[in-house]
């Protein structure tokens, strides 16, 4: 932050050539400079380059008040909190003014009287742009006094003023943001009679307090956020106010998985500062992001509520924590995330989705587990052959997994515990015929730990396609033959071939 200018009186300010300008003109001019310089106006905002960001820039270039309309977790608050960067770094104000009067254009009684009394000797202070932003979360108990102001009887009594004196006004948060940017989050939650109080500010740029015969022109850029769900569930924006908001800009969730991965990478605390280094293979980052994509399309999830991007951030942090905890138990300095760690992200999912009736019947944990399973199936099939596809030869479709499925069909099982040491973990997975070779041939893993994690993901993907059975208990999970586990209580039967070799047709019949 640069030092404030040294000008300290109104006379010095006049001599410097300072020219007042409105907040919207100031923001417009600085935005033009940033665009022409090729600067990133909203750094860290991903996925909005061709949609939301250009529309915000258009609104600011047009000197518009605007509203961001979108579901939860779509970076609405973050966007509006970045707007002060488009203000001048320092602006002069009448020293001591509650509403940051411009020395050349004072609007409060205090500012006008001081300039009239002291002239060029009026003391000038400098206001940083960080102090020129105000924000209020709209709640049902928000009052006109909070936003606009009210008469202060204590001030009237202590200063022996009548209620007809403008000095008895206690200004609300909007006048105190005079010459700045003011934001109201969740606008529909504001009661209609309070929304009416914003009409003069939006159109006439002035405030009125308690019927006073006083008009105080307030210079402020007004921005709002709202969730479409709120229009029916908690309230609405009154038509006259909506008419005065110049631009309505729709936000959205990431439309591309890779963008979502980068957003989560940016937001999640995955690089820990502890004694353990946790490696997160890219496939797990994709799975975490795919969980959100699955939730946004799920018949169990209320799509009107949305699925916040906070889900993937919390899920990745839980995933890393599960691996970190395992390493701490075994005294290891580093570890790699495993498929069994995905169970740890269920709390992040259950707390971030609203379920419809069908989802409530399934239960929050059941829905979370199903979403994770679908995500694993979707992503792993981009690395390995799709077992549901009709492939040719031994490398396509279910045929690629013939050796793996054959091993399970002979009654073998894999017992996996989330807290297994790496040596025991690999020992369990290496039992499965053809599993290591399959993963090695299709994924080129960077190291043995990544290869082992991908081997377990392969088993989980096969389970999601009902090709391998899975039993889950508090102490871990086991993978076994799907049909064999179902029919074990009914007696065994073998393939119709005379030999004992596994046959795909036999497996399909079973």
């Amino acid at each position: 932050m640069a030092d404030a200018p040294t000008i300290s009186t109104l006379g010095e300010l006049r001599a410097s050539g300072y020219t007042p300008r409105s907040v919207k003109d100031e923001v417009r001019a600085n935005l033009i400079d940033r665009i022409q310089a090729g600067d990133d106006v909203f750094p860290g905002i991903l996925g909005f380059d061709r949609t939301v960001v250009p529309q915000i820039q258009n609104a600011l270039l047009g000197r518009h008040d605007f509203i961001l309309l979108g579901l939860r977790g779509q970076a609405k608050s973050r966007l509006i909190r970045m707007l002060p960067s488009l203000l001048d770094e320092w602006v002069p104000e009448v020293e001591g003014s509650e509403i940051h009067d411009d020395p050349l254009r004072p609007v409060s009684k205090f500012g006008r009287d001081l300039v009239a009394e002291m002239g060029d000797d009026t003391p000038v202070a400098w206001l940083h742009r960080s102090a020129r932003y105000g924000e209020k979360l709209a709640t049902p108990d928000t009052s006109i006094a909070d936003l606009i102001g009210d008469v202060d009887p204590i001030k009237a009594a202590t200063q022996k003023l009548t209620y007809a004196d403008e000095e008895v006004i206690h200004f609300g948060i909007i006048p105190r943001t005079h010459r700045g940017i003011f934001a109201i989050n969740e606008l529909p939650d504001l009661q209609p009679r309070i929304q009416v109080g914003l009409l003069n500010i939006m159109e006439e740029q002035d405030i009125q307090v308690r019927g006073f015969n006083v008009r105080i022109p307030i210079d402020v850029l007004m921005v709002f956020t709202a969730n479409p769900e709120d229009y029916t569930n908690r309230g609405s924006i009154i038509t006259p106010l909506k008419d005065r908001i110049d631009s309505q800009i729709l936000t959205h969730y990431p439309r591309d998985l890779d963008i979502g991965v980068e957003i989560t990478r940016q937001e999640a605390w995955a690089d820990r500062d502890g004694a353990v280094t946790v490696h997160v293979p890219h496939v797990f980052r994709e799975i975490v992001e795919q969980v959100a994509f699955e939730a946004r399309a799920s018949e169990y999830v209320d799509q009107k509520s949305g699925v916040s991007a906070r889900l993937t951030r919390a899920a990745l942090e839980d995933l890393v924590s599960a691996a970190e905890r395992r390493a701490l138990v075994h005294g290891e300095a580093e570890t790699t995330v495993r498929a069994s760690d995905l169970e740890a992200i269920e709390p992040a999912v259950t707390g971030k989705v609203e379920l419809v009736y069908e989802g409530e019947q399934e239960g929050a944990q059941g829905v979370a587990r199903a979403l994770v399973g679908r995500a694993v199936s979707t992503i792993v099939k981009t690395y390995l052959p799709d077992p549901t596809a009709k492939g040719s030869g031994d490398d396509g479709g279910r045929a690629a997994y013939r050796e793996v499925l054959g091993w399970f069909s002979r009654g073998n099982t894999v017992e996996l515990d989330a807290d297994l040491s790496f040596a025991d973990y690999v020992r369990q997975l290496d039992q499965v015929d053809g599993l290591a070779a399959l993963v090695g041939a299709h994924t080129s893993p960077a190291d043995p730990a990544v290869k082992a994690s991908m081997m377990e993901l392969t088993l989980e993907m096969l389970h999601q396609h009902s090709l391998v059975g899975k039993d889950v208990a508090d102490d871990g999970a086991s993978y076994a033959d799907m049909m064999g586990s179902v029919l074990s209580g009914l007696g065994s039967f073998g393939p119709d071939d005379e030999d004992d070799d596994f046959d795909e047709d036999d497996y399909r019949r079973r």
Side-chain angles (χ1 to χ4, degrees), residues 438-501:
L438 175 72
V439 169
H442 291 279
T443 65
S444 302
D447 56 57
V450 175
K451 181 177 182 179
S453 295
M454 197 68 199
M455 289 166 69
E456 186 184 2
L457 282 175
T458 304
L459 296 183
E460 181 61 27
M461 185 265 292
L462 292 174
H463 165 65
Q464 292 300 320
H465 288 288
S466 300
L467 297 176
V468 171
K470 181 181 181 183
D471 292 322
V472 180
D474 290 340
D475 58 350
S478 62
Y479 292 94
D481 176 55
M482 184 63 137
M483 299 305 294
S485 62
V486 172
L487 299 172
S488 59
L490 303 177
S492 61
F493 60 93
D496 58 0
D497 297 313
E498 294 182 356
D499 58 47
D500 292 330
D501 293 337

Side-chain angles (χ1 to χ4, degrees), residues 121-273:
D121 292 329
T122 301
V124 170
W126 289 88
L127 184 67
H128 190 258
R129 60 185 165 210
S130 60
R132 298 171 64 194
Y133 175 76
E135 182 177 314
K136 181 72 175 74
L137 175 63
T139 55
D141 62 342
T142 301
S143 67
I144 285 290
D146 295 331
L147 296 178
I148 309 298
D150 204 348
V151 172
D152 186 346
I154 296 177
K155 183 186 288 187
T158 56
Q159 298 184 20
K160 299 180 179 180
L161 301 171
T162 71
Y163 282 178
D165 195 317
E166 188 180 328
E167 290 275 15
V168 303
I169 296 175
H170 174 77
F171 292 110
I173 188 171
I174 295 179
R176 290 175 182 272
T177 318
H178 174 52
R179 303 173 68 210
I181 299 169
F182 186 75
I184 297 181
N185 271 318
E186 310 301 342
L187 180 60
D189 284 350
L190 207 61
Q191 294 185 39
R193 64 183 181 85
I194 308 302
Q195 294 184 35
V196 171
L198 301 175
L199 299 182
N200 265 34
I201 297 174
M202 299 293 295
E203 192 68 23
E204 286 78 25
Q205 287 80 48
D206 71 81
I207 62 167
Q208 298 174 358
V209 179
R210 286 274 182 165
F212 268 81
N213 187 22
V214 58
R215 182 176 185 273
I216 303 177
I218 295 297
D219 179 20
V220 63
L221 169 62
M222 295 288 291
V223 295
F224 307 92
T225 72
N227 187 323
E229 180 193 18
D230 298 339
Y231 282 91
T232 55
N233 284 9
R234 299 203 297 263
S236 62
I237 304 174
I238 63 172
T239 303
L241 179 58
K242 192 173 182 181
D243 183 58
R244 283 166 169 78
I245 300 175
D246 302 303
S247 293
Q248 176 176 284
I249 299 168
L250 303 180
T251 58
H252 56 83
Y253 290 120
R255 295 171 177 171
D256 180 84
L257 187 74
D258 291 338
I259 292 293
V261 168
E262 289 308 308
I263 292 173
T264 304
R265 187 192 300 273
Q266 175 180 277
E267 300 301 318
W269 184 48
D271 297 326
R272 303 295 170 86
D273 53 2

Side-chain angles (χ1 to χ4, degrees), residues 420-435:
L420 283 176
S421 67
F422 180 68
D424 290 338
Y425 178 64
V426 172
R427 189 177 300 113
Q428 284 290 321
L429 293 169
D430 279 344
Q431 297 178 81
V432 185
D433 291 345
L435 182 59

Side-chain angles (χ1 to χ4, degrees), residues 208-394:
Q208 298 174 358
V209 179
R210 286 274 182 165
F212 268 81
N213 187 22
V214 58
R215 182 176 185 273
I216 303 177
I218 295 297
D219 179 20
V220 63
L221 169 62
M222 295 288 291
V223 295
F224 307 92
T225 72
N227 187 323
E229 180 193 18
D230 298 339
Y231 282 91
T232 55
N233 284 9
R234 299 203 297 263
S236 62
I237 304 174
I238 63 172
T239 303
L241 179 58
K242 192 173 182 181
D243 183 58
R244 283 166 169 78
I245 300 175
D246 302 303
S247 293
Q248 176 176 284
I249 299 168
L250 303 180
T251 58
H252 56 83
Y253 290 120
R255 295 171 177 171
D256 180 84
L257 187 74
D258 291 338
I259 292 293
V261 168
E262 289 308 308
I263 292 173
T264 304
R265 187 192 300 273
Q266 175 180 277
E267 300 301 318
W269 184 48
D271 297 326
R272 303 295 170 86
D273 53 2
V276 176
T277 299
V278 179
H279 302 288
V280 185
H282 187 70
V283 62
F284 285 96
R285 295 183 184 275
E286 292 179 310
I287 289 171
V288 166
E289 202 62 38
Q290 186 65 31
V291 170
F293 276 73
E294 296 291 343
R296 290 169 192 148
S298 173
E299 67 275 18
Y300 296 130
V301 176
D302 184 358
Q303 301 304 319
K304 293 180 181 178
S305 294
V307 179
S308 169
R310 299 181 187 95
L311 183 153
T312 54
R313 183 203 67 197
L316 184 61
E317 290 171 348
D318 279 346
L319 186 67
V320 172
S321 294
E324 183 180 32
R325 176 188 168 280
R326 180 180 58 251
L328 291 170
V329 168
H330 292 287
E332 298 170 345
E334 62 179 325
T335 188
T336 298
V337 170
R338 302 173 185 173
S340 46
D341 296 328
L342 288 169
E343 184 179 345
I345 77 174
E346 290 174 11
V349 179
T350 56
K352 298 290 190 297
V353 296
E354 299 290 336
L355 303 180
V356 296
Y357 176 76
E358 292 81 1
E360 296 288 354
Q361 296 299 107
E362 292 291 328
Q365 187 176 37
V367 171
R369 192 160 294 177
L371 294 175
V372 173
R374 292 177 187 175
V376 170
S377 175
T378 300
I379 296 301
V380 175
K381 285 189 297 187
T382 65
Y383 289 82
L384 298 174
D386 183 352
T388 65
K390 294 183 178 180
S392 57
D394 294 333

